[in-house]
Amino acid sequence: MKTPTFPRGVHPHDAKDATMDKPIVILPPPEKVVIPLHQHFGTPAEPLVKKGEEVLLGQKIGQGKTLFSANVHASVSGKVLAVEDYNHPGGYPVTAVSIANDGQDRLSPDLKPAADPFSLSADEIRDRVREAGVVGLGGAAFPTAVKLAPPKDKPIDTLIINGCECEPMLTADYRLMVENPLDVLRGAELVRIASGAIKVIVAVEDNKLRAAEMMRRHLDGIHADIVLLKTKYPQGAEKNLISALLRREVPRGGLPFDVGVLVQNVGTAKAIWEAVSLGKPLVERVITVAGSGIGEPKNLLVRIGTLFQDAVNFCGGLAEDINLVVMGGPMMGLAQWSLDTPIIKGTSGILAWRTAFPAAEYPCIRCGRCVDHCPMGLLPTLLAKFVQREMWPEAEKWGVLDCVECGCCQYACPSRIPLVHWMRLGKNKIAQAKRKKTA
Ligand code: SF4
Ligand code: SF4
């Protein structure tokens, strides 16, 4: 029997006009940064500094002690004000190192450039990436060094550099591709060397033709195919991207490794280039600040640990009748209750709206739209019911852990049911139960 096909994913207006043509502006380093020790997938880093100590720009201030962790570095030079719990964009307090910026950007002597980055071995590239605390900048903040070390029995044949940026309103990756195509491609080449991939594909959605053109123009001897994909949400989700480009299906509960693929975001590729060639730790990133509630939307290069408030002030401030502030894109972003929260490695944007989607929720009318649009082929309405009734084994059996939290179901739902909230809750509860069992 033929597998039924679904109009999977959704087609929201991309709403990128406000910042697409705005070059990246450097946000002057703020007077204070607050750098959480947990801003990546895995275990928190352990603090290496104490209140009152002087630190240098790029100095390691948090040590990732396990494989699934990441080092954390000072993004300014100055004095440590505190090592204590602070607001985190995830919505819970996290131990963070607050630093008073002395405005001098005194560099740590630990930063060691490589004379010829392309002559380094795979292990040397991975070590430099690990030491620099590089994590996936597409939002998931997965430690990059782990991704660069595929299991021996699962060789990588294809590297995909993800330039889709399918979330509406965000243009940070687009600007990176337009303004720094060579750094992105050089980073891609290092990932290819480290992972052993044979083929490199740079995937760009067809609403970013200029970015694709800039990448193509700067190939400069680097072998990569620049491939245009249809603009669709969530085109940039790893499993969707692999399916769209290679017609390979990542198995349920599996990873791209399982089908011989490695996916890296364009921002991560640039960070890898800087980590390996310059020895530069991940202390800054590009974000988009936009939305009807922002005075002057911009793309900014910001130091990690800059408070949302400082970035928003630089962009003309918030409108008075603000309704919603989100970190990330409008589909997957996390709602924020305060601007006294630091920008972390996984912050792709700060969005603010004067009017938000209506909050009223209505009963499910069993229209099936959430099912039709789920890119993972799940039954969101059924999963939400399992979670609401705390039927954890059933929720797991029917695939709640495969949910990528893309928000398509919620976007398509005419009853405005917060389906993503129920998916996240289900995933967290099941993960918690598993951790308890193995503890
Ligand atoms: S159930 Fe998860 S993967 Fe499916 S559409 Fe909803 S958020 Fe996306
Ligand atoms: S889209 Fe909303 S109303 Fe329709 S079946 Fe899914 S949960 Fe119910």
Side-chain angles (χ1 to χ4, degrees):
M1 197 175 86
K2 215 176 151 212
T3 313
T5 53
F6 300 103
R8 287 177 179 171
V10 290
H11 297 87
H13 184 264
D14 76 6
K16 293 180 189 274
D17 307 5
T19 52
M20 201 150 187
D21 294 326
K22 298 215 171 148
I24 299 165
V25 176
I26 299 173
L27 176 73
E31 287 178 6
K32 177 180 99 167
V33 290
V34 180
I35 305 174
L37 292 170
H38 196 198
Q39 43 179 313
H40 46 263
F41 176 89
T43 50
E46 290 184 10
L48 296 173
V49 291
K50 289 198 187 79
K51 182 178 172 182
E53 269 181 49
E54 286 287 328
V55 291
L56 300 170
L57 170 59
Q59 179 182 331
K60 189 161 46 171
I61 55 172
Q63 176 74 50
K65 288 252 165 154
T66 62
L67 181 64
F68 290 98
S69 186
N71 295 336
V72 176
H73 300 79
S75 57
V76 296
S77 58
K79 191 179 231 169
V80 175
L81 296 170
V83 181
E84 62 187 13
D85 282 1
Y86 205 92
N87 296 339
H88 186 279
Y92 45 87
V94 162
T95 307
V97 179
S98 303
I99 304 169
N101 184 5
D102 63 13
Q104 295 178 37
D105 275 352
R106 289 173 292 130
L107 266 184
S108 164
D110 301 337
L111 314 182
K112 301 239 166 32
D116 179 6
F118 297 120
S119 69
L120 297 175
S121 69
D123 282 341
E124 287 168 327
I125 292 172
R126 277 194 289 269
D127 287 348
R128 282 182 159 255
V129 168
R130 183 177 294 106
E131 196 49 36
V134 180
V135 301
L137 298 187
F142 193 87
T144 301
V146 179
K147 267 190 158 185
L148 296 186
K152 290 244 166 353
D153 58 337
K154 292 183 177 162
I156 300 298
D157 60 61
T158 307
L159 164 65
I160 299 174
I161 298 297
N162 187 355
C164 286
E165 199 171 48
C166 58
E167 273 272 12
M169 299 177 78
L170 301 183
T171 56
D173 284 354
Y174 170 75
R175 291 306 315 180
L176 260 189
M177 289 187 279
V178 169
E179 296 179 41
N180 300 102
L182 200 51
D183 286 358
V184 173
L185 289 164
R186 286 172 171 163
E189 178 61 9
L190 291 174
V191 177
R192 190 195 64 72
I193 295 169
S195 65
I198 300 156
K199 189 177 168 66
V200 180
I201 300 173
V202 180
V204 183
E205 283 190 338
D206 61 8
N207 61 348
K208 302 176 190 72
L209 295 179
R210 191 166 161 223
E213 178 51 28
M214 290 302 282
M215 298 291 278
R216 204 167 279 128
R217 259 197 240 166
H218 287 82
L219 280 170
D220 192 28
I222 295 170
H223 296 288
D225 293 335
I226 313 295
V227 176
L228 278 179
L229 289 170
K230 220 163 93 181
T231 300
K232 174 182 160 185
Y233 182 85
Q235 190 69 278
E238 280 191 350
K239 293 179 182 178
N240 294 61
L241 199 50
I242 293 168
S243 169
L245 287 168
L246 303 168
R247 302 279 165 232
R248 297 182 198 171
E249 295 295 329
V250 177
R252 201 172 149 186
L255 291 168
F257 286 155
D258 295 315
V259 291
V261 182
L262 175 61
V263 183
Q264 291 288 358
N265 161 272
V266 287
T268 317
K270 180 171 181 283
I272 290 169
W273 170 249
E274 292 176 343
V276 176
S277 63
L278 307 173
K280 180 179 166 184
L282 184 51
V283 292
E284 60 185 14
R285 68 156 296 151
V286 179
I287 66 167
T288 300
V289 183
S292 58
I294 297 287
E296 295 167 44
K298 290 184 180 18
N299 287 301
L300 300 178
L301 178 67
V302 294
R303 303 285 174 103
I304 302 295
T306 300
L307 296 176
F308 280 31
Q309 185 73 66
D310 290 325
V312 167
N313 286 350
F314 188 74
C315 296
L318 277 188
E320 276 185 11
D321 53 348
I322 201 73
N323 201 319
L324 181 66
V325 177
V326 154
M327 180 187 86
M331 300 296 285
M332 288 187 78
L334 295 173
Q336 301 296 310
W337 57 274
S338 167
L339 293 183
D340 185 19
T341 302
I343 289 165
I344 56 174
K345 295 175 184 178
T347 305
S348 50
I350 300 172
L351 306 179
W353 289 273
R354 301 176 67 185
T355 51
F357 299 115
E361 180 187 337
Y362 299 95
C364 174
I365 55 169
R366 302 189 181 189
C367 63
R369 286 190 206 168
C370 55
V371 179
D372 289 347
H373 289 85
C374 175
M376 302 307 293
L378 303 174
L379 306 175
T381 177
L382 181 71
L383 288 170
K385 293 234 156 47
F386 286 146
V387 175
Q388 285 157 4
R389 292 171 194 170
E390 303 192 353
M391 296 166 70
W392 311 123
E394 288 81 0
E396 189 173 359
K397 183 175 162 201
W398 285 83
V400 73
L401 298 180
D402 289 330
C403 169
V404 294
E405 301 175 24
C406 66
C408 288
C409 51
Q410 193 165 311
Y411 180 83
C413 176
S415 296
R416 304 275 179 212
I417 297 171
L419 292 160
V420 183
H421 161 77
W422 294 115
M423 301 303 140
R424 279 189 184 136
L425 185 68
K427 287 170 72 175
N428 286 341
K429 289 283 182 186
I430 292 168
Q432 263 174 22
K434 285 187 172 172
R435 274 200 298 271
K436 256 191 196 164
K437 235 182 189 174
T438 51

